[in-house]
Amino acid sequence: EPESLRQISWNTSFDEELSGLTAANGRLFVSTLETHQVHALDMNSGEVLWSYTAGGRVDSPPTIYNNLVFFGSRDGYVYCLRADNGGLVWRFRAAPIDRRIIDDSQLESSWPVHGGVLIRDDRLYVSAGRTSLLNGGMALYALDPGSGDILAKNRLHDSYSEAEPKMIRNDGRNYRGDIGISNDILAREDTCITLRQMRIDKNLSQVGISNGQFISMNGMLNPDWQSRIASFFGQPNESRNSNADRDQYDYLESPRQGSYMVFDEELTYSVRIHPNAGKFRTSFVPGQKGYRIFADDNQTLENIWNRYVPIRVEAMVATAGETLFLAGTPDVVDEDDPWGAIEGRKGGLLWALSADNGKKLSEYQLNSPPVFDGMIAVNGKLYMASVDGSVICIGES
């Protein structure tokens, strides 16, 4: 019930930059980026149950499987901890060699690993590196979750052509053909896994570009609104364009796309920074119409509803086809502090919309906006990692 989401049940402050959240078995997991730590909290009280310090930044929340906690770190290692007490089970160096560099005032590996690693079919999939163009490319592994033993490995490496410096080897893996593949959070796709737009089978062999599923062009960890390139989900359906209002629905010329997307079994919800993203227009004036939210049917690709919201959406959650929750900074411009809202000094907004028709159900004022993708829903409550370094639970006690 959206009206119940007006009460903060608990607030745990870390006073540090936070990752997003994951949850399992009554525990909530979050990382504090600059201190290299992963924390487990009691979901009912917010009490910190344990903390573990890795050898580098943990840039995204851990993955939970079989009462074990898995995460990558920018020190080039993958860690496995016990979920109940944070004890170390094993640690695996995914970086080809233990070489360190300075990145943003922190010491880390030349082959960092993102925090959120992928579990699929009782295998743990890991990618270590920055891009296929640097340091011999990226190292890919499939590991045994219980022991950390290597089940499969491969390397993704592209070389610049001396004859054509602006082009790299183009074998269908690259969407543009001249930008290589950058590392990112691994994702599932039917029988394969994906790294941005590239598809990989369970033995880490490359099987071309993603076709018909989710493609993250700009990566899943980019928090910068204005540089976020649209992601795509599904194939275009050209027939749906014939009766469309061209000014209102330019996005229909492409597959479902958005600067930020979530989906459930029935619908895909997309946030559009620029109203005419299908034509790649880059103009946007803040503090006017707001940002547009679209809901598309996953089977027919037909648009179900769309509306503007006065929120620069940083976090979005769909709950079983009933409610869509949006949270972020208000789309306002203060003449005395023009960047205040964008930089979080004007607090945050949380809205609940009907998943069926986009109707506004409820609104809640936040002391601080969420971090990018920093909200989850569990058992009728919302949990949010905030820009001010606090984790909050919103809902009835």
Side-chain angles (χ1 to χ4, degrees):
E1 175 63 39
E3 289 298 324
S4 70
L5 298 174
R6 294 180 178 273
Q7 177 181 347
I8 295 182
S9 299
W10 53 257
N11 182 328
T12 300
S13 179
F14 291 95
D15 197 27
E16 297 282 350
E17 183 181 358
L18 300 177
S19 71
L21 304 168
T22 50
N25 301 323
R27 296 179 179 87
L28 194 68
F29 300 90
V30 65
S31 62
T32 46
L33 276 62
E34 297 303 310
T35 60
H36 309 176
Q37 291 183 303
V38 171
H39 309 274
L41 286 68
D42 185 283
M43 293 184 69
N44 294 319
S45 67
E47 176 188 0
V48 178
L49 302 176
W50 55 258
S51 301
Y52 183 90
T53 303
R57 292 186 183 101
V58 182
D59 60 19
S60 42
T63 300
I64 316 303
Y65 179 70
N66 284 348
N67 206 34
L68 296 173
V69 178
F70 302 93
F71 61 92
S73 170
R74 299 187 73 85
D75 64 355
Y77 283 81
V78 181
Y79 294 78
C80 174
L81 311 179
R82 295 182 180 88
D84 54 356
N85 59 20
L88 180 66
V89 178
W90 54 259
R91 187 178 73 148
F92 173 79
R93 194 189 77 200
I97 60 176
D98 193 12
R99 185 176 72 192
R100 305 300 173 96
I101 62 174
I102 298 293
D103 185 356
D104 196 17
S105 302
Q106 290 262 11
L107 187 67
E108 59 184 50
S109 173
S110 297
W111 297 271
V113 182
H114 290 304
V117 292
L118 176 67
I119 291 282
R120 175 160 192 169
D121 299 329
D122 202 34
R123 287 186 167 201
L124 175 65
Y125 290 95
V126 177
S127 59
R130 300 174 186 275
T131 169
S132 60
L133 299 174
L134 292 177
N135 301 316
M138 292 184 291
L140 306 177
Y141 295 94
L143 304 177
D144 182 287
S147 64
D149 292 341
I150 298 175
L151 302 178
K153 61 181 179 180
N154 204 345
R155 186 175 66 134
L156 175 62
H157 182 214
D158 289 303
S159 299
Y160 284 104
S161 167
E162 294 181 0
E164 298 180 82
K166 293 185 179 181
M167 297 297 293
I168 61 172
R169 191 178 77 194
N170 182 12
D171 57 4
R173 296 181 316 202
N174 305 313
Y175 189 80
R176 297 292 181 189
D178 60 353
I179 59 175
I181 294 289
S182 296
N183 202 2
D184 194 30
I185 299 293
L186 298 171
R188 297 171 61 104
E189 180 191 286
D190 292 340
T191 60
C192 298
I193 60 176
T194 61
L195 175 58
R196 291 187 182 252
Q197 61 267 34
M198 185 181 67
R199 300 172 74 233
I200 306 168
D201 67 19
K202 67 178 183 178
N203 294 315
L204 306 179
S205 297
Q206 302 155 29
V207 288
I209 62 172
S210 182
N211 181 23
Q213 298 295 316
F214 180 71
I215 302 175
S216 176
M217 295 297 298
N218 211 43
M220 299 188 197
L221 297 176
N222 177 26
D224 190 346
W225 257 98
Q226 296 305 319
S227 68
R228 208 178 293 163
I229 303 172
S231 297
F232 300 86
F233 182 50
Q235 286 291 299
N237 183 350
E238 295 182 0
S239 64
R240 65 189 280 199
N241 296 324
S242 57
N243 297 319
D245 180 335
R246 306 298 290 195
D247 292 332
Q248 186 174 359
Y249 297 109
D250 280 346
Y251 81 103
L252 294 180
E253 295 177 355
S254 299
R256 286 163 290 175
Q257 59 173 281
S259 303
Y260 182 33
M261 306 174 73
V262 299
F263 37 87
D264 55 29
E265 292 183 358
E266 296 181 0
L267 298 176
T268 296
Y269 308 92
S270 309
V271 181
R272 207 61 57 74
I273 296 177
H274 306 111
N276 298 298
K279 290 186 177 297
F280 299 101
R281 297 170 185 167
T282 57
S283 61
F284 176 79
V285 180
Q288 293 191 352
K289 296 180 69 174
Y291 296 87
R292 201 151 198 165
I293 310 295
F294 297 86
D296 293 334
D297 187 279
N298 289 340
Q299 299 299 320
T300 67
L301 304 187
E302 293 297 323
N303 179 245
I304 304 302
W305 57 260
N306 63 88
R307 61 165 297 163
Y308 285 100
V309 296
I311 304 174
R312 188 174 296 102
V313 180
E314 297 287 354
M316 186 162 55
V317 173
T319 60
E322 297 179 357
T323 309
L324 178 68
F325 294 99
L326 318 168
T329 57
D331 181 36
V332 297
V333 179
D334 186 334
E335 291 184 359
D336 296 326
D337 187 11
W339 287 94
I342 293 176
E343 295 177 352
R345 292 188 293 276
K346 304 298 181 181
L349 285 176
L350 168 65
W351 276 27
L353 304 180
S354 167
D356 291 335
N357 54 30
K359 179 182 177 181
K360 179 182 175 182
L361 302 175
S362 184
E363 176 181 344
Y364 186 80
Q365 299 287 328
L366 302 169
N367 292 330
S368 177
V371 301
F372 175 62
D373 203 26
M375 181 170 63
I376 61 175
V378 184
N379 296 331
K381 298 180 180 180
L382 290 179
Y383 297 87
M384 185 182 300
S386 303
V387 170
D388 65 2
S390 61
V391 178
I392 63 174
C393 172
I394 305 175
E396 295 178 344
S397 301

